[in-house]
Amino acid sequence: MMPSTSENEEEDRLKDIHHHLSTNKSSSNAPSASWLPLESNPAIFTSYAENTSHLPQTWEFVDVLGFGGGAKDDLLLLSPTESKSDTVAGAIFLFPTTDAIYTERGVQKARLRIHNQRHHDVLSRNVFHLEQVKGFGNACGTIAATHVLLNSGLALPDIPDPFNDSGGTASPLSVYKKSCINTPDSVDQDHDRLRRQRGEMLVHTQELHNISDSSAQNTASQTQCPESGDTYLGHHYCAFVPVKIDGNIHVVELDGTKIRPIDHGMIDGNNNSDDNNAFLSAVANVVNREWMALEPNRIDFSLMALVKKA
């Protein structure tokens, strides 16, 4: 279990996890208990979503193209193009973990320490945020997908069971969410403890671990899946979800290695809460400003969106 979030905590949880992965190579042939990494491939993420949340067949993950140019709607394309839709539940971003990006994360963390506590409490009550504890290994893709599914309402609670009049079959993610403490019991509740508890409960949920590893080894993979979840890969996933706060839609970043959800502000066109093109444009603005601008010569960034098929 990771140490408690405090002023004396490691400089960056992500950096600490990656350092552990890169320097603690096991000499044993025994299988690793860590989760296998998910390839940045919409088919892989759709497989995970379908098997953990009973994702409706009308929904899928797709690649977002053209986001490197910023927030211009006419440059943002979904691939395959027939999946283009005005209904977007969230986005998943993959980025390289470089020195420049680690430095910016440190600046952001210091800023978050002095951020308005009331706003943090409101935001934490409006989203489901879990911590990437060390036992996960390379499960940041799984955590990003879980963040999108649990905050979009698409982790459907059950599917009809024709042989059982009392109800349906609960999805693995809905069972997991119900097992967590989702709402602080009082204004003094420790959000850090809740986030860590959710991470610990997920890392020990064997059914979800099995589904995630199976998705990682899906035949749709375009690269060979590492044999161990403890393999250092030098990249990290985070999620973005639209969250309504005080009547306005905000772009909220959820990263299991950050101390809290990150509010990146209201989207343009907030008078229309269904303006998902504006949401994706806002996400493109954020990733360009806070990641890609730091590494303008790198091309190993990718963005996916969970959309309803056209």
Side-chain angles (χ1 to χ4, degrees):
M1 180 173 175
M2 297 293 291
S4 174
T5 300
S6 69
E7 294 299 333
N8 295 320
E9 188 185 10
E10 71 277 2
E11 177 184 334
D12 187 309
R13 185 176 300 277
L14 175 58
K15 192 172 185 178
D16 182 65
I17 290 172
H18 277 192
H19 176 75
H20 173 79
L21 293 175
S22 64
T23 60
N24 290 270
K25 300 182 183 299
S26 173
S27 59
S28 169
N29 292 323
S32 168
S34 298
W35 299 35
L36 295 175
L38 298 185
E39 178 184 270
S40 182
N41 181 331
I44 301 297
F45 279 78
T46 299
S47 171
Y48 174 78
E50 289 175 341
N51 288 294
T52 59
S53 66
H54 301 328
L55 184 74
Q57 293 184 354
T58 52
W59 287 83
E60 65 180 349
F61 279 98
V62 298
D63 282 317
V64 179
L65 307 178
F67 66 93
K72 295 181 179 179
D73 289 340
D74 58 347
L75 295 180
L76 292 176
L77 299 173
L78 303 184
S79 178
T81 55
E82 59 266 25
S83 296
K84 187 173 183 179
S85 171
D86 288 334
T87 307
V88 181
I92 294 177
F93 180 54
L94 177 71
F95 60 90
T97 50
T98 66
D99 288 342
I101 288 175
Y102 278 133
T103 297
E104 178 59 28
R105 284 169 60 93
V107 172
Q108 183 188 65
K109 181 175 179 179
R111 187 167 63 243
L112 288 173
R113 291 294 189 195
I114 59 174
H115 196 268
N116 182 279
Q117 183 64 36
R118 178 183 177 277
H119 181 76
H120 165 49
D121 290 342
V122 170
L123 186 58
S124 293
R125 283 193 291 268
N126 276 275
V127 298
F128 186 96
H129 186 209
L130 67 98
E131 181 178 295
Q132 182 177 342
V133 297
K134 275 186 177 177
F136 276 118
N138 271 309
C140 55
T142 301
I143 292 171
T146 299
H147 276 142
V148 169
L149 291 165
L150 289 182
N151 286 286
S152 66
L154 288 173
L156 301 181
D158 54 57
I159 54 176
D161 183 349
F163 302 104
N164 185 355
D165 294 335
S166 63
T169 304
S171 73
L173 270 184
S174 69
V175 172
Y176 158 70
K177 186 176 182 179
K178 288 178 182 178
S179 70
C180 297
I181 300 174
N182 298 310
T183 304
D185 297 325
S186 71
V187 295
D188 296 324
Q189 184 66 58
D190 184 350
H191 295 291
D192 293 330
R193 184 182 63 80
L194 291 175
R195 187 180 71 252
R196 189 168 304 111
Q197 178 190 56
R198 294 164 182 169
E200 291 288 352
M201 294 186 74
L202 180 58
V203 80
H204 291 106
T205 302
Q206 191 61 46
E207 182 180 13
L208 290 170
H209 186 170
N210 293 342
I211 293 172
S212 179
D213 281 0
S214 177
S215 297
Q217 298 168 317
N218 191 291
T219 55
S221 297
Q222 297 175 353
T223 58
Q224 184 175 356
C225 179
E227 295 181 359
S228 169
D230 291 325
T231 303
Y232 173 66
L233 299 174
H235 288 74
H236 184 65
Y237 287 102
C238 66
F240 295 94
V241 295
V243 178
K244 181 174 285 189
I245 302 174
D246 295 331
N248 296 308
I249 302 299
H250 290 233
V251 174
V252 174
E253 174 194 344
L254 295 169
D255 184 332
T257 66
K258 290 190 174 181
I259 61 174
R260 63 184 61 174
I262 312 297
D263 184 357
H264 289 286
M266 294 184 292
I267 67 171
D268 293 333
N270 251 309
N271 290 332
N272 182 0
S273 62
D274 295 324
D275 191 352
N276 290 284
N277 287 329
F279 168 72
L280 275 183
S281 294
V283 170
N285 261 339
V286 172
V287 301
N288 272 271
R289 181 180 67 246
E290 303 204 12
W291 280 273
M292 299 180 74
L294 300 174
E295 293 289 358
N297 296 320
R298 298 287 296 247
I299 61 172
D300 46 344
F301 297 91
S302 70
L303 185 65
M304 292 180 286
L306 179 58
V307 304
K308 189 173 183 179
K309 299 178 185 178

